[in-house]
Amino acid sequence: MKKLFIPALFFLSLFNINVAMADCDGGKSIVGQVETIKVYELDMDYLARIDTGAATTSIHAKDIKVLGEDSDSENMRDHLGHMVEFTSYNEQGKEAKFKGKIVKVSKIRNAQGVERRYAVKMDLGWNGEHKTVNVNLRDRSKLEYKLLIGRNWLSGNYLVDVDKEDDAD
């Protein structure tokens, strides 16, 4: 009886561990530190850095222009609801223009200090899944990754596995 009990106990403990691990992800997709993300509005793929330390997703934006009345105001908050136009390019140098509504002005603290950034809504896709989130506009020309994925995109849908290799490799 003892001979059967110990292997049965071992088997049950393995089963419980597997069940617990399956429940742990709650059906969430696993992303790595770097993933290829499609920005649908630009019809472009970006090699994106996944950053759980960043609250908001950021995209490379140059030539940012606020359109419409009061566009010359120094206070960026005056531009909420206005249209903004910018040019972006990915790590391959493919370029596209975007025009969208300013939905937020964020105060960002980083290694360079404090800066304010406009945010627009963008539809970002990975592995056939879509998610629309606020995306900060920032000149990322000196940075390796032109798209940084923050917690606002990850939240509720994704887990990060730092050992996972990028599909583009």
Side-chain angles (χ1 to χ4, degrees):
M1 178 77 170
K2 218 177 197 185
K3 287 182 182 178
L4 290 175
F5 181 71
I6 292 174
L9 190 60
F10 178 72
F11 175 75
L12 285 174
S13 68
L14 284 178
F15 178 75
N16 286 337
I17 290 170
N18 287 336
V19 169
M21 289 177 75
D23 289 344
C24 181
D25 71 6
K28 296 180 182 187
S29 297
I30 309 293
V31 295
Q33 292 183 77
V34 175
E35 293 290 349
T36 300
I37 304 290
K38 181 165 188 85
V39 179
Y40 285 95
E41 289 84 353
L42 302 176
D43 192 28
M44 234 171 20
D45 289 338
Y46 285 77
L47 198 56
R49 175 82 170 146
I50 310 298
D51 185 355
T52 60
T56 307
T57 298
S58 293
I59 194 167
H60 172 60
K62 64 179 188 173
D63 303 326
I64 300 170
K65 271 189 264 179
V66 177
L67 309 174
E69 295 177 31
D70 302 326
S71 62
D72 57 350
S73 171
E74 292 294 317
N75 185 349
M76 291 177 75
R77 293 192 183 280
D78 290 344
H79 302 149
L80 279 169
H82 286 113
M83 298 298 281
V84 65
E85 184 177 72
F86 66 91
T87 303
S88 184
Y89 60 83
N90 64 13
E91 71 287 345
Q92 297 171 343
K94 186 176 175 190
E95 198 171 283
K97 285 192 180 288
F98 176 80
K99 191 186 291 186
K101 189 192 312 188
I102 299 169
V103 295
K104 189 175 180 183
V105 175
S106 298
K107 187 176 181 178
I108 307 293
R109 286 179 182 79
N110 58 26
Q112 291 77 37
V114 177
E115 64 182 74
R116 291 203 182 271
R117 298 182 193 160
Y118 295 121
V120 296
K121 291 249 183 233
M122 296 186 105
D123 182 10
L124 307 179
W126 176 77
N127 238 15
E129 302 169 12
H130 288 252
K131 190 167 186 181
T132 300
V133 294
N134 290 350
V135 178
N136 285 331
L137 309 182
R138 178 173 192 251
D139 183 346
R140 298 181 60 84
S141 58
K142 293 187 170 118
L143 300 170
E144 182 178 357
Y145 299 100
K146 306 306 178 211
L147 181 64
L148 179 112
I149 298 295
R151 293 189 309 269
N152 67 328
W153 185 83
L154 294 165
S155 181
N157 302 97
Y158 303 98
L159 295 175
V160 181
D161 180 354
V162 295
D163 292 325
K164 184 178 183 277
E165 295 292 324
D166 176 41
D167 298 333
D169 290 343

